[in-house]
């Protein structure tokens, strides 16, 4: 967001709450800026963070501060003359609401990276209106409410009541919207009901009656309308093209050399044209009919694959002639125009962008797009395959080409492309952050988090080697009694079994109480007391062993069991390897723990005598097994761990 929004917040918070509260809010949010520059960009989440901080300091609700910030902005932008721009949109509050997108369009040339939302009125009545707000920024719906309340009060002298009817993807925080499955950011959509006295607007703008002199006018043939607007389009209720201006047909032919222009008639408008502005809405009859005061920009698709075919029954009624427009010969005239135009086909022409208004003509129940092509200079005119006499005979279209006054629309196109690139960058950053988290999870599965952080700080892997006075090392081996002649099938069964068992074990590992060291074949290795020192290592490893035994039983896999053994003692641990670095344990304690597992029995937990003495003091249920011959150790006294500590009665 631009600094002007934060300037307004700072000014009025200091004015109404004092300098001390403002500095506390900055300190709480961690913001290091004490002064904000009007045209500098700042993080989107700064305003919601300030609202949350002020809410915590003053005890007032968060939403109240977001509404207050919206009001502050309206009061503040009067210093820049934007209040006069709003007043110039019309006499009534609804005139302003209809023109919000047009205002944002003009302001984008001053604030080039502005992420302007889109707003359209969908319903208007004597008691107010329904406004639909669309944005890729979340958490600002309350901020908009404050803006609307203040504009209505200060500039139009009326009180407005606002409530939310529907809301989609709008979460607090002021960050980018969630990512859609097909890519890009999800659009925040909020539908408001604005209640205010709208009777005068309805009387002057909606319920206006035609002057008697207009009713006496003779019908006008549609060919005259298309001559006045040679780039016009007429659409029926199904959004199919029923008539096209001569120059627009010619432009379509230049971009579709090997196709018949008669394909336009009866075709869906979306097959040949793309709606660029207003953004965030679909090209439907209901949407377009509601937005007759909004400027539309439609792009002619190059080499389009239209599927529409001429359908006489869907074209405008050829006998309708109730007012100024008569379509009695629209189809015949259009067909004659299409077949009489010479083909000036060429490749690589610049696509044509049309700008104008969509007007609904009740007598023929059709939408008419009254437009002109956006042309910056004579060079662009030539690149589009057009000539000056192709442009509308009325207005200033030809003069604007000479003087270059329409360059702002091309500049706007460039701005929109930059916005798209910015959105793509935001999406890429979000994906990069997701990939980073996945990479961190993979790294932490190979190396303990504390060790990985030390390596990131530039520490030599050899310096991570560390000795521990006492830890508890556990080994668990999955046992299978299933055999078969089919070695491939047996191997697949083994893989599925190990995956189920080891996944269950992984769910039981909780840092810093225990750490999974590795799996080798059917053996699962874990340690407690390293790399995070834990004085309760024996207790935690005993609990883990009992949980492992219980989880195997819960899986209820036929013919599958587990042998578990663990031992306590000193070890040395560190990072080994460069290609696939691993956190490895070394020492006699590791060997002894392995022997406890290998010399044990299926579905039993064997512990050394030294570890057993520790567990007896904690109340664990143990049974003396006797002396067991351990390779490299001779005879060792071992115990069976049979249960957790018994509760005292």
């Amino acid at each position: 967001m631009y600094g002007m929004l934060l300037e307004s917040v700072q000014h009025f918070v200091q004015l109404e709450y004092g300098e001390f509260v403002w500095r506390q809010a900055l300190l709480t949010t961690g913001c290091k800026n004490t002064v904000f520059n009007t045209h500098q960009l700042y993080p989107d989440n700064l305003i919601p963070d300030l609202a949350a901080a002020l809410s915590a300091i003053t005890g007032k609700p968060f939403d109240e501060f977001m509404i207050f910030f919206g009001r502050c902005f309206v009061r503040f932008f009067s210093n820049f003359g934007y209040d006069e721009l709003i007043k110039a949109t019309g006499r009534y509050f609804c005139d302003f609401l209809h023109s919000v997108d047009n205002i944002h369009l003009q302001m984008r040339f001053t604030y080039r990276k502005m992420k302007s939302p889109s707003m359209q009125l969908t319903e208007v009545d004597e008691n107010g209106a329904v406004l639909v707000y669309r944005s890729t920024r979340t958490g600002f719906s309350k901020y908009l409410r404050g803006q609307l309340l203040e504009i209505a009060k200060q500039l139009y002298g009326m009180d407005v009541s606002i409530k939310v009817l529907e809301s989609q993807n709008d979460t607090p925080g002021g960050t980018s919207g969630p990512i859609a499955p097909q890519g890009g950011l999800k659009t925040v959509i909020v539908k408001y009901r604005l209640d205010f006295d709208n009777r005068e607007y309805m009387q002057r703008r909606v319920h206006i009656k035609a002057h008697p002199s207009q009713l006496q006018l003779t019908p006008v043939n549609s060919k005259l309308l298309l001559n006045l607007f040679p780039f016009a389009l007429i659409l029926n209720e199904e959004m199919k093209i029923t008539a096209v201006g001569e120059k627009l047909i010619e432009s379509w032919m230049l971009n579709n050399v090997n196709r018949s222009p008669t394909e336009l008639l009866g075709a869906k408008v979306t097959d040949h044209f793309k709606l660029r502005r207003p953004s965030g809405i679909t090209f439907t009859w209901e949407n377009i009919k509601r937005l007759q005061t909004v400027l539309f920009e439609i792009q002619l698709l190059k080499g389009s694959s239209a599927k529409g075919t001429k359908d006489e029954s869907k074209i405008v009624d050829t006998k309708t002639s109730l007012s100024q427009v008569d379509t009695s010969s629209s189809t015949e005239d259009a067909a004659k125009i299409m077949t009489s135009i010479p083909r000036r086909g060429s490749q690589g022409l610049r696509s044509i962008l049309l700008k104008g208004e969509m007007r609904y003509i009740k007598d023929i129940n059709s939408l008419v797009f009254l437009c002109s092509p956006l042309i910056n200079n004579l060079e662009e005119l030539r690149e589009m395959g057009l000539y000056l006499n192709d442009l509308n005979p009325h207005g200033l279209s030809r003069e604007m080409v000479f003087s270059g006054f329409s360059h702002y629309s091309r500049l706007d196109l460039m701005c929109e492309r930059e916005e798209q690139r910015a959105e793509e960058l935001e999406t890429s950053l979000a994906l990069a952050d997701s990939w980073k988290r996945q990479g961190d999870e993979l790294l932490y599965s190979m190396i303990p988090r504390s060790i990985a952080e030390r390596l990131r700080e530039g520490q030599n892997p050899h310096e991570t080697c560390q000795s521990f006075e006492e830890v508890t090392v556990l080994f668990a081996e999955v046992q299978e009694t299933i055999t078969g002649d089919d070695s491939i099938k047996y191997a697949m069964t083994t893989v599925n079994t190990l995956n189920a068992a080891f996944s269950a074990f992984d769910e039981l590992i909780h840092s810093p109480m225990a750490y999974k060291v590795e799996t080798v074949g059917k053996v699962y290795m874990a340690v407690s007391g390293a790399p995070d020192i834990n004085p309760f290592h024996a207790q935690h490893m005993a609990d883990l062993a009992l949980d492992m035994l219980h989880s195997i039983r819960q899986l209820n896999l036929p013919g599958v069991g587990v042998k578990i053994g663990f031992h306590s003692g000193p070890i040395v641990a560190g990072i080994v390897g460069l290609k696939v670095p691993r956190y490895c344990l070394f020492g006699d304690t590791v060997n002894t723990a392995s022997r406890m597992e290998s010399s044990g029995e299926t579905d039993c937990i064997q512990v050394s005598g030294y570890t057993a003495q520790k567990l007896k003091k904690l109340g664990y249920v143990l049974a003396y097994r006797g002396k067991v011959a351990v390779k490299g150790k001779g005879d060792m006294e071992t115990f069976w761990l049979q249960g957790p500590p018994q509760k005292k009665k």
Side-chain angles (χ1 to χ4, degrees), residues 540-560:
H540 290 154
M541 198 54 70
D543 292 340
L544 176 63
L546 291 170
D547 290 341
M548 282 180 166
L549 192 58
H550 178 71
S551 66
I552 287 293
R553 290 169 179 166
Q554 288 291 106
L555 289 175
N556 196 25
L557 298 173
V560 176

Side-chain angles (χ1 to χ4, degrees), residues 583-595:
Y583 186 70
C584 298
L585 311 182
F586 303 93
D588 185 62
T589 299
V590 178
N591 295 330
T592 303
S594 177
R595 299 292 183 266

Side-chain angles (χ1 to χ4, degrees), residues 7-116:
E7 284 182 299
S8 66
V9 170
Q10 179 179 8
H11 176 77
F12 286 100
V13 169
Q14 289 174 331
L15 187 65
E16 298 193 20
Y17 293 92
E19 179 68 23
F20 177 73
V21 172
W22 171 249
R23 290 191 177 277
Q24 273 191 310
L26 290 179
L27 184 64
T28 304
T29 57
C31 178
K32 299 180 181 180
N33 300 89
T34 55
V35 177
F36 299 100
N37 298 321
T38 301
H39 292 277
Q40 184 174 335
L41 290 173
Y42 296 90
D44 286 344
N45 63 318
L46 196 49
I47 278 186
D49 288 351
L50 287 170
L54 288 168
S55 175
I57 294 168
T58 63
K60 293 184 178 180
F62 169 83
D63 289 351
E64 184 176 324
F65 274 102
M66 289 299 291
I67 293 173
F68 171 68
F69 289 172
R71 287 182 176 272
C72 293
F73 179 70
V74 176
R75 299 175 197 168
F76 189 78
F77 68 42
S78 298
N79 299 326
F80 297 84
Y82 294 126
D83 56 335
E84 296 298 327
L85 176 61
I86 291 176
K87 292 177 183 177
T89 59
R91 292 183 175 86
Y92 306 105
F93 186 48
C94 273
D95 290 331
F96 157 70
L97 296 176
H98 275 300
S99 304
V100 172
D101 280 5
N102 294 336
I103 294 173
H104 285 153
L105 180 63
Q106 298 302 321
M107 293 181 65
R108 287 171 64 196
F109 299 113
T110 304
Y111 303 94
R112 299 289 298 275
K113 297 182 179 180
M114 181 176 70
K115 298 178 182 178
S116 57

Side-chain angles (χ1 to χ4, degrees), residues 180-238:
Q182 65 272 24
L185 301 177
K186 288 185 178 179
T187 301
V188 175
I189 303 176
V190 182
K191 182 185 287 188
Y192 299 93
R193 171 65 195 185
L194 284 62
D195 292 321
F196 56 93
D197 186 358
N198 201 31
R199 289 174 293 179
E200 187 176 355
Y201 172 83
M202 294 296 291
Q203 183 179 356
R204 298 292 184 90
R205 294 283 193 270
V206 180
H207 299 323
I208 187 171
K209 296 182 179 180
H211 192 272
S213 62
Q214 293 180 327
L215 299 176
Q216 298 173 5
L217 295 175
T218 58
V220 176
N221 190 287
S222 63
K223 184 175 181 180
L224 177 60
L225 177 66
L226 297 178
N227 285 337
L228 291 173
F229 295 92
F231 291 91
L233 275 173
I234 300 179
L235 309 173
N236 66 10
E237 198 168 356
E238 296 181 357

Side-chain angles (χ1 to χ4, degrees), residues 125 150 167 181 209 252 303 308 318 321 354 367 391 411 436 489 511 520 563 567:
D125 54 52
E150 192 66 22
S167 180
K209 296 182 179 180
W252 183 88
T318 59
S321 59
L354 304 170
L367 290 169
L391 304 182
L411 180 61
K436 181 180 180 298
K489 184 177 180 180
S511 179
V520 179
K563 288 198 304 182
H567 172 65

